[in-house]
Amino acid sequence: MSVEGGSAPLSVQDLTIGLRRPGGRSVAIVEDVSFDVDPGQRLGIVGESGSGKSLTLRAVAGLLPRGVEVLSGRVEFGGRDLLTMPAKDRRALMGPEIAMIFQEPMTALNPVMRVGDQIAEGPRRHLGLSAKEARELAVSMMARTGIPDPARRAKAYPHELSGGLRQRIMIAMAVSCGPRLLLCDEPTTALDVTVQLQVLKLLEKLCDDTGASLVFVTHDLAVVNQTCSELAVMYAGHIVEAGGVKDTFRQPRHPYTRALLESAPDFDHPERELIPIPGFAPNVADRPSGCPFAPRCGYVRDHCTEAVPPLEEVIPGRLAACFESDRLVEVLA
Amino acid sequence: MSEILDAPATDTAMVRVSALTKSYGGGASWLSRLGKGGPSTLKALDGVDLDLRPGEILALVGESGSGKSTLAKILVGSTTPTSGDVSYRGASAPSHRDRETSRRVQMVFQDPYSSLNPRLTVGRMLAELLLLHRIVPRREVRAESIRLLNLVGLEEEVLGAYPSQFSGGQRQRLAIARAIAVRPDVLIADEPVSALDVSVQATILELFTSLRAELGLSILFIAHNLAVVQHLSDRVAVMYLGRIVEVADTREIFARPRHPYTRALIDSIPRMREASVNDAFELDGEPPSPYHVPAGCRFHPRCALAGDACRATDPPLLQVGPAHLSACLKADELAAIPLPDPAQELP
């Protein structure tokens, strides 16, 4: 994911997101985040609540909450900076080129519009289809996402469908115009485990079929392993480690990644003791000097509190922001 | 179902539910008769038999709509069953609880942000309970509150604080302190860690284990995360559409599931290291509506092993091994299909 060049559908460079306070002082919530997503690549961004993973995704989609803004950095899509292009051009990309899937489909869908019409809306506007063609496309998209009896279900309102079906509707809506980039914010957190598996497999298949890239934000490490090939771990608004999912899970090179893996139950290793991470993540308005993880870190040394460690390549294909990374060479069981 | 009664150690069950049913909507209202007709009774629980043993952590798992939370509500007395019996230590519980029975069974909820009164300080919240249930005399309330806070890993200083001043994990500790304040025998925890970050989850799971050891609590732990269940619980009961379909010790049920639904749940668990498992038991679609429970075995429309007998017979929960109950006609056939070894699937 450190590949350079304009070929990457998405290239985020030094993105800083925060609140601008009156008087010119601003508070950064996400700081200097950079990553690239290649065509067809699937990147998982993990971290705890407040780590900035969702804000990063929302900044890419142009959906930051009111009051929160991009303070600096670039978000390039197909070589063009989304942040400086006219709002009209950016809106035109959302849907046909970039699509987003949210955690709670009930709040993301229009409750007073039939789901088939909601799916058809994008293709009508962006692909110039007639109402009839768009409706047919909607039904075929629903069939593709595994919704049984799609022609009948297309006439349903969101409240008439179960959570799993609503999530499929949202996926059908997101992929209906054939986007090159899919942004997912915890798309399966609200679903049962059996339905979660179906939805994850569906996303994987759609990406394989269309060659779309995926950015997948979640707090669930196991879900990332099932869905993504690349991983970025965020802590207190920074990417602290990035690399291939399997490699990183096997041999994390940042103490936070390691601590996360050790705190989560692993179904295949039930006998392993869970080790909680002591303390709390720092308040973004009052970051400690030096490494943000230092106060909770088991590998901390004096220099860790003096300077912020840069995100650097520690082994081929792996970036970590830790001065003591060389001491983390142990392979996890 | 008689097999449950024959099993050893059930005489000492802390809580026993038998033939419990809960239906919503009678279908007799004039409005429903004016409507299109059709079934209008939702069977949330459809004949549940289950024992919670003293000092055990029993996990209750199943998809949403399977009736887990309805069962929890009946156990704490916040709703009444349509039929069937709930007994505590062998004595049948009245459908409208007296204060003493209510005290014995306490609940911890999923969302620690909405389950604490935002206008009560921690001290007031605990004092109110301790006095109402006459746990300690008034002059000892403060000392008892501090003892409770220490038990859940909080300090004396928090007595004057309001819930909004705490993080999610700390709030869940407060909710647990509130539940154990009245010295219950049984704790019902409905998804108590699913709203928390993984790093905090571990501390709360640890707290449940230590409380069980220190206070001898029996805990019914409702969860959908099977990795958490496997880590924490002694036994697991699997619910499907208002019935218990399998019960066994944790190690046994995950190593040798004897109901295809349990097997499907296990195969759906996202894995931390290995790739996904085989697709043989992957479920299509979602559970049928509890308004229209399928005839025969309620799982047959989604079952990979279903045969003609399954469409005709509603299988009872029977003993299939030592301390292992399953409601499946094909339980033996399933036992012959080994679980995939995830270690062999490494690339």
Side-chain angles (χ1 to χ4, degrees):
Chain A
M1 52 173 284
S2 52
V3 184
E4 297 290 322
S7 72
L10 181 67
S11 173
V12 172
Q13 290 150 28
D14 303 320
L15 184 67
T16 298
I17 308 167
L19 305 162
R20 216 183 284 279
R21 292 273 166 81
R25 228 175 64 81
S26 54
V27 178
I29 306 172
V30 170
E31 236 175 5
D32 290 331
V33 162
S34 303
F35 59 87
D36 284 0
V37 184
D38 294 339
Q41 204 170 48
R42 294 197 280 269
L43 167 69
I45 303 180
V46 301
E48 294 174 272
S49 20
S51 61
K53 56 188 192 306
S54 289
L55 276 188
T56 304
L57 193 74
R58 283 170 177 269
V60 172
L63 294 171
L64 285 173
R66 193 177 297 262
V68 180
E69 52 189 301
V70 173
L71 299 176
S72 63
R74 293 168 70 80
V75 177
E76 283 181 10
F77 178 75
R80 295 175 67 198
D81 187 2
L82 293 175
L83 302 175
T84 53
M85 70 169 58
K88 192 165 144 282
D89 294 3
R90 184 170 192 185
R91 267 203 305 279
L93 289 176
M94 292 305 296
E97 299 285 334
I98 305 173
M100 179 136 177
I101 297 168
F102 299 89
Q103 174 173 359
E104 208 344 284
M106 199 56 207
T107 52
L109 294 172
N110 184 342
V112 294
M113 193 172 172
R114 297 179 196 278
V115 294
D117 296 342
Q118 295 191 50
I119 300 171
E121 210 178 13
R124 275 192 75 179
R125 179 182 299 173
H126 299 293
L127 307 181
L129 300 186
S130 71
K132 186 164 168 290
E133 288 166 335
R135 235 183 349 258
E136 280 163 10
L137 179 70
V139 172
S140 76
M141 289 314 301
M142 287 171 70
R144 246 178 99 185
T145 58
I147 296 174
D149 199 0
R152 187 171 62 86
R153 288 274 165 63
K155 298 198 180 73
Y157 291 95
H159 77 269
E160 297 175 285
L161 304 174
S162 67
L165 284 182
R166 286 201 289 261
Q167 197 53 280
R168 282 162 203 264
I169 297 288
M170 199 144 71
I171 293 172
M173 201 152 82
V175 299
S176 61
C177 297
R180 287 196 288 150
L181 177 64
L182 260 180
L183 308 172
C184 301
D185 190 2
E186 308 252 13
T188 60
T189 307
L191 304 177
D192 281 314
V193 60
T194 53
V195 182
Q196 166 171 283
L197 179 72
Q198 297 165 15
V199 169
L200 293 179
K201 288 198 164 175
L202 169 65
L203 279 174
E204 207 177 312
K205 185 172 179 304
L206 289 171
C207 288
D208 284 345
D209 290 354
T210 62
S213 308
L214 183 73
V215 182
F216 194 106
V217 164
T218 178
H219 67 275
D220 191 329
L221 300 167
V223 165
V224 169
N225 180 47
Q226 299 271 249
T227 319
C228 303
S229 54
E230 303 299 310
L231 173 75
V233 181
M234 286 190 75
Y235 182 77
H238 294 254
I239 291 183
V240 295
E241 182 159 11
V245 175
K246 294 244 171 349
D247 272 0
T248 312
F249 278 15
R250 201 176 65 85
Q251 191 186 29
R253 296 299 295 267
H254 192 285
Y256 177 63
T257 314
R258 190 188 165 111
L260 263 188
L261 287 163
E262 286 179 337
S263 71
D266 179 352
F267 188 77
D268 294 310
H269 296 91
E271 69 297 331
R272 188 174 54 89
E273 193 192 343
L274 306 187
I275 308 169
I277 306 177
F280 300 99
N283 184 337
V284 287
D286 183 25
R287 281 206 182 81
S289 62
C291 172
F293 189 59
R296 307 171 77 184
C297 180
Y299 294 84
V300 67
R301 287 201 175 152
D302 286 349
H303 61 144
C304 298
T305 54
E306 285 155 15
V308 180
L311 187 65
E312 288 174 332
E313 187 158 69
V314 288
I315 45 172
R318 183 84 61 83
L319 306 172
C322 178
F323 293 131
E324 298 296 321
S325 187
D326 291 344
R327 285 161 63 204
L328 282 87
V329 288
E330 197 185 328
V331 171
L332 293 186
Chain B
M1 271 156 252
S2 61
E3 274 72 6
I4 296 175
L5 303 178
D6 296 338
T10 51
D11 289 333
T12 55
M14 183 59 82
V15 183
R16 171 178 296 168
V17 301
S18 21
L20 204 64
T21 70
K22 175 70 183 177
S23 307
Y24 290 100
S29 81
W30 62 274
L31 250 177
S32 68
R33 266 178 276 146
L34 279 178
K36 288 178 197 154
S40 57
T41 313
L42 182 148
K43 282 187 176 168
L45 298 181
D46 192 11
V48 169
D49 300 87
L50 191 65
D51 284 357
L52 178 64
R53 299 173 187 162
E56 81 167 342
I57 300 180
L58 172 64
L60 191 59
V61 304
E63 285 164 292
S64 32
S66 61
K68 305 182 301 258
S69 295
T70 304
L71 181 56
K73 279 187 203 161
I74 290 174
L75 290 176
V76 295
S78 72
T79 187
T80 52
T82 305
S83 68
D85 185 57
V86 181
S87 60
Y88 293 96
R89 289 187 155 156
S92 193
S95 55
H96 290 283
R97 300 289 166 86
D98 51 68
R99 188 179 294 174
E100 178 56 17
T101 323
S102 319
R103 183 187 66 76
R104 287 169 176 278
V105 185
Q106 290 294 316
M107 183 136 177
V108 176
F109 298 89
Q110 173 173 8
D111 180 7
Y113 289 88
S114 60
S115 62
L116 298 172
N117 185 338
R119 298 177 58 165
L120 288 186
T121 62
V122 172
R124 284 271 312 279
M125 171 182 89
L126 293 175
E128 200 169 75
L129 282 168
L130 293 171
L131 292 172
L132 177 73
H133 286 277
R134 300 196 185 89
I135 305 296
V136 290
R138 187 172 288 275
R139 63 175 186 283
E140 288 171 28
V141 161
R142 191 181 156 83
E144 175 69 7
S145 301
I146 294 167
R147 190 185 73 89
L148 287 165
L149 290 172
N150 292 343
L151 260 179
V152 298
L154 295 171
E155 299 295 327
E156 181 180 343
E157 297 91 84
V158 309
L159 275 176
Y162 289 92
S164 60
Q165 294 168 265
F166 296 92
S167 70
Q170 286 173 320
R171 282 169 193 242
Q172 206 54 298
R173 287 175 190 274
L174 288 176
I176 293 169
R178 179 179 62 181
I180 62 174
V182 298
R183 302 188 183 169
D185 303 321
V186 178
L187 204 59
I188 313 277
D190 192 353
E191 301 271 11
V193 297
S194 55
L196 306 176
D197 274 319
V198 273
S199 64
V200 184
Q201 256 183 33
T203 65
I204 300 295
L205 295 177
E206 198 177 285
L207 179 59
F208 278 113
T209 316
S210 74
L211 288 178
R212 186 256 301 260
E214 283 173 39
L215 307 178
L217 284 171
S218 312
I219 301 176
L220 183 71
F221 185 86
I222 301 177
H224 70 276
N225 184 334
L226 294 187
V228 167
V229 163
Q230 183 192 40
H231 187 82
L232 182 72
S233 63
D234 305 312
R235 283 199 306 151
V236 179
V238 181
M239 275 191 97
Y240 187 76
L241 268 187
R243 278 272 174 87
I244 304 281
V245 295
E246 185 166 9
V247 190
D249 289 344
T250 304
R251 194 183 286 259
E252 163 81 6
I253 204 165
F254 287 126
R256 281 174 291 278
R258 300 291 294 274
H259 194 287
Y261 177 61
T262 312
R263 175 66 189 266
L265 283 181
I266 294 172
D267 286 0
S268 307
I269 300 170
R271 304 300 177 102
M272 291 272 274
R273 307 292 165 82
E274 289 76 18
S276 195
V277 288
N278 72 338
D279 293 352
F281 286 88
E282 191 181 318
L283 291 185
D284 286 332
E286 290 163 50
S289 148
Y291 282 105
H292 309 272
V293 175
C297 170
R298 56 198 56 219
F299 185 61
H300 87 256
R302 302 172 81 195
C303 181
L305 301 178
D308 289 340
C310 304
R311 283 179 267 278
T313 318
D314 189 3
L317 191 62
L318 296 175
Q319 188 118 22
V320 293
H324 196 151
L325 306 170
S326 165
C328 177
L329 299 173
K330 306 253 180 169
D332 293 333
E333 196 176 312
L334 180 66
I337 307 171
L339 281 167
D341 181 1
Q344 289 176 356
E345 298 195 8
L346 278 171

